[in-house]
Amino acid sequence: MNVDIFGYFAAILTTAAFLPQLIKTLKSKKADDVSLTTLIMFIIGVLSWIIYGYKISSTPILIANLITMILNVLILISKIYFSKTLSQ
């Protein structure tokens, strides 16, 4: 059995977990309930996983964390943009 199957399965689940937050943020045009500190810490952690995945040549780790990074950067951009828009 190929152990990468577990990696891909975990990658799909953990990456997809951020889609509802991104969709909710974009629909409501609010991200007040998202902690900026937590989001930044998480993005730094994901960046570390990307570096680690690259260094050990792990495709599941790289793919999952690259997609997760994109989703979370979009949430971060939305949070900053919507907070500026609402304050004007």
Side-chain angles (χ1 to χ4, degrees), residues 17-72:
F18 289 97
L19 284 173
Q21 182 65 55
L22 180 59
I23 292 167
K24 178 185 176 196
T25 301
L26 294 175
K27 280 185 177 181
S28 69
K29 297 188 181 347
K30 289 190 286 183
D32 297 337
D33 54 341
V34 178
S35 166
L36 183 62
T37 303
T38 302
L39 197 51
I40 291 170
M41 289 173 61
F42 187 79
I43 289 170
I44 293 169
V46 169
L47 180 60
S48 298
W49 275 113
I50 291 168
I51 294 167
Y52 175 73
Y54 175 77
K55 291 291 190 180
I56 66 167
S57 301
S58 175
T59 303
I61 291 174
L62 277 171
I63 291 171
N65 286 289
L66 284 169
I67 295 169
T68 301
M69 172 74 87
I70 292 166
L71 294 175
N72 279 280

Side-chain angles (χ1 to χ4, degrees), residues 8 37-38 53 81 87:
Y8 285 110
T37 303
T38 302
Y81 176 77
S87 66

